[in-house]
């Protein structure tokens, strides 16, 4: 679900801003997009209500990224027993003019799959950002 729609309280808004800042600190040329999904019925059917989705767009195709746009999806699980909500994984996908070029998921083995892959340096930075995202959303409440 679009990050802009998920920012329903101060803590979530602050965590989303932290994710944007983490990404932009490493990649200052990226432009953030808190509404990467269209608001039409077909798209709404595909959107996961248990995720926070943030897009980032670069000014052009990057050889090190092998993509022009990035979609970060932070996946959550709501425990029905203790009513706690925690981030259970992050998926990052890179897109070029043909569509999805590659994908990185923290759910299984943290490897990049797809027709092309970002450079090893970019992949390492993305994995570090994913670790930081999980820490941001799973830190104990004060």
């Amino acid at each position: 679900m679009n990050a802009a729609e998920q920012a329903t309280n101060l803590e979530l808004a602050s965590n989303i801003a932290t994710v944007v800042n983490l990404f932009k600190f490493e990649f200052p040329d990226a432009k953030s997009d808190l509404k990467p999904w269209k608001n039409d019925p077909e798209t709404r059917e595909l959107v996961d209500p248990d995720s926070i989705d943030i897009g980032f767009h670069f000014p052009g195709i990057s050889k090190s990224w092998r993509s022009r746009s990035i979609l970060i999806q932070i996946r959550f699980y709501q425990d029905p027993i203790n009513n706690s909500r925690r981030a259970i994984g992050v998926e990052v996908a890179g897109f070029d003019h043909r569509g999805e070029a590659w994908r990185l998921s923290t759910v299984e083995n943290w490897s990049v799959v797809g027709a092309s892959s970002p450079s090893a340096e970019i992949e390492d930075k993305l994995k570090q950002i994913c670790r930081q995202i999980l820490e941001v959303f799973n830190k104990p409440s004060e």
Side-chain angles (χ1 to χ4, degrees):
M1 182 176 272
N2 285 332
E5 296 170 53
Q6 290 282 35
T8 55
N9 62 47
L10 184 58
E11 182 181 8
L12 273 175
S14 176
N15 288 349
I16 291 167
T18 299
V19 169
V20 169
N21 288 332
L22 286 170
F23 196 89
K24 288 185 69 72
F25 178 79
E26 289 292 337
F27 310 107
D29 290 345
K31 181 181 174 212
S32 62
D33 180 359
L34 299 180
K35 293 183 179 183
W37 298 108
K38 291 181 182 177
N39 193 12
D40 60 43
E42 294 83 25
T43 304
R44 290 286 233 198
E45 289 254 335
L46 302 172
V47 171
D48 179 358
D50 293 320
S51 73
I52 293 177
D53 304 343
I54 305 169
F56 292 93
H57 308 286
F58 296 100
I61 294 284
S62 166
K63 287 184 180 184
S64 59
W65 279 96
R66 294 188 180 83
S67 57
R68 184 172 186 159
S69 295
I70 305 299
L71 176 65
I72 295 179
Q73 294 182 294
I74 308 159
R75 306 254 183 220
F76 292 89
Y77 173 72
Q78 183 80 35
D79 188 325
I81 296 170
N82 65 9
N83 206 28
S84 65
R85 184 177 191 231
R86 56 181 276 112
I88 57 171
V90 179
E91 293 193 25
V92 183
F95 296 86
D96 62 17
H97 64 282
R98 299 168 297 200
E100 185 177 305
W102 55 266
R103 177 176 293 271
L104 165 68
S105 176
T106 68
V107 175
E108 291 199 19
N109 61 7
W110 291 65
S111 63
V112 173
V113 296
S116 62
S117 298
S119 70
E121 179 186 357
I122 297 296
E123 186 175 334
D124 289 343
K125 285 183 179 184
L126 279 174
K127 288 177 181 178
Q128 180 59 35
I129 289 170
C130 288
R131 283 185 204 87
Q132 291 171 319
I133 289 170
L134 292 171
E135 287 174 15
V136 164
F137 283 96
N138 291 330
K139 69 179 179 267
S141 297
E142 296 175 8

